[in-house]
Amino acid sequence: MTNQFVTISIDGLSFQLKEPQSFDWLQKLGRVFCVFDRQDSGNLSFGVEQLGRKKFVKYAGASTVAYTGTPEEAVTRLKQALPLYEALKHPYLIRLEEHFETDNGYAAVYDWFDGECLHPHWSFPPPQKYTHPDSPFFRFRQLPVAERLRSLDCIFSFHVHAEASGYVAIDFYDGSLLYDFKNRLTKICDIDLYRKKPFINTMGRLWGSSRFMSPEEFELGANIDARTNVFNMGAVAFALLGGERDRSNSKWEAGKELYETALRAVQPDRNERHASVAEFYAAWNAARSFRA
């Protein structure tokens, strides 16, 4: 039996939902110029423009096509996430501007950033993500190593900040990264599932991409802490500079010292990793000096 979806049109753009819903509340924010309707989080997102200024609107409360939970659950998660953007304000994190109730859900409005997501799942699913010349991830991997290292600096420095603020990163992966190819800028766009320490794995398999997850993120009752975040940072380094899951030296592009630092970070035995993201980043910067 074929699923029947409802087509919604706003400002000449169309998208599909499982059930009809009014989006009249969007009009006060400006003209909708793009729609992101395929996320499996239950959120529906829009790019809007008013008086020459663009904003990014994340909305929960609609029955989106790719989401298996209830709209109410999505609303709860969105509301719970918003304080994180206040607590972890940082130059490399997108800025939350306002948030408010609507008739059927909840909306959060962020500054617009002219970046492309490095995990463009719907446009370039694997293997096209890694090989298609128009894929943002493929194009990013063609950048000089020095430029990719600058992106990693943004990612690592933000997570040193998050760690110092008492938080652990949950569900951080390349889908959380935006890169502006024109201006060579990197931003983190999704920290909705980050948690205050101490945090215990009560799920078994936590949220996230297995490409970036440590063993403890699959282990019920495990501590999720600074060493977990170190693994996550090392996995990001291998995604942007190496062979992602293939962590062999032959796939690595940034020299022996940085390779050894990243490899220590992703050790399955958590006690063999750096003790914190701050310690990892210090070791990373020391290793970078060999490239200077």
Side-chain angles (χ1 to χ4, degrees):
M1 181 177 177
T2 303
N3 288 324
Q4 297 298 312
F5 299 128
V6 176
T7 298
I8 309 291
S9 295
I10 304 176
D11 293 334
L13 299 176
S14 296
F15 57 95
Q16 291 187 315
L17 298 176
K18 294 176 182 176
E19 297 176 356
Q21 187 170 132
S22 171
F23 290 88
D24 290 346
W25 56 270
L26 263 174
Q27 294 176 0
K28 71 173 185 177
L29 297 176
R31 176 187 62 86
V32 175
F33 64 86
C34 65
V35 182
F36 306 92
D37 64 337
R38 295 286 173 170
Q39 298 102 317
D40 60 6
S41 62
N43 295 321
L44 182 65
S45 299
F46 305 92
V48 300
E49 184 172 4
Q50 189 173 59
L51 300 175
R53 186 183 173 202
K54 294 179 178 179
K55 299 177 183 179
F56 179 81
V57 182
K58 184 184 289 188
Y59 172 73
S63 295
T64 57
V65 170
Y67 178 54
T68 57
T70 68
E72 293 76 18
E73 291 168 337
V75 168
T76 297
R77 277 196 301 273
L78 179 58
K79 287 182 176 179
Q80 289 174 341
L82 298 177
L84 294 168
Y85 290 86
E86 295 294 338
L88 296 177
K89 282 182 180 177
H90 191 272
Y92 301 131
L93 176 68
I94 59 169
R95 189 178 75 87
L96 176 65
E97 187 173 298
E98 63 172 322
H99 50 92
F100 53 85
E101 298 271 1
T102 70
D103 288 343
N104 297 294
Y106 207 83
V109 182
Y110 302 83
D111 279 348
W112 179 265
F113 176 67
D114 266 326
E116 297 180 61
C117 180
L118 293 189
H119 184 64
H121 176 72
W122 293 104
S123 303
F124 301 99
Q128 290 94 335
K129 167 188 171 178
Y130 300 98
T131 59
H132 196 288
D134 293 332
S135 160
F137 184 84
F138 177 84
R139 287 156 52 214
F140 183 86
R141 286 298 305 257
Q142 307 315 301
L143 295 174
V145 168
E147 180 58 30
R148 285 179 274 155
L149 285 169
R150 281 193 287 272
S151 258
L152 284 168
D153 278 337
C154 300
I155 296 164
F156 297 159
S157 62
F158 171 75
H159 285 92
V160 169
H161 165 67
E163 180 178 82
S165 301
Y167 287 84
V168 290
I170 306 294
D171 191 31
F172 180 77
Y173 70 119
D174 48 3
S176 310
L177 297 174
L178 299 174
Y179 186 76
D180 178 346
F181 286 88
K182 180 180 178 181
N183 297 300
R184 297 189 174 187
L185 298 173
T186 302
K187 291 270 188 180
I188 292 164
C189 64
D190 185 359
I191 60 167
D192 288 15
L193 295 175
Y194 284 36
R195 291 292 184 263
K196 192 78 174 174
K197 296 185 288 189
F199 181 68
I200 304 296
N201 181 349
T202 59
M203 294 173 59
R205 190 206 190 282
L206 282 174
W207 306 280
S209 167
S210 59
R211 296 173 294 127
F212 296 84
M213 293 168 68
S214 64
E216 58 265 31
E217 291 176 271
F218 296 87
E219 182 185 343
L220 188 66
N223 286 322
I224 306 299
D225 57 16
R227 291 181 189 268
T228 308
N229 285 350
V230 167
F231 187 103
N232 197 207
M233 296 301 99
V236 171
F238 276 104
L240 302 188
L241 293 170
E244 200 171 82
R245 278 179 164 150
D246 180 352
R247 293 167 182 155
S248 60
N249 190 30
S250 63
K251 298 281 188 178
W252 184 258
E253 300 179 69
K256 176 177 178 289
E257 290 77 14
L258 285 175
Y259 173 74
E260 290 177 350
T261 305
L263 191 64
R264 179 183 170 189
V266 295
Q267 289 304 300
D269 182 347
R270 52 185 283 111
N271 293 317
E272 294 182 11
R273 304 173 205 155
H274 309 84
S276 66
V277 178
E279 182 183 301
F280 162 75
Y281 193 32
W284 180 266
N285 284 328
R288 276 189 73 173
S289 66
F290 287 93
R291 291 181 52 83

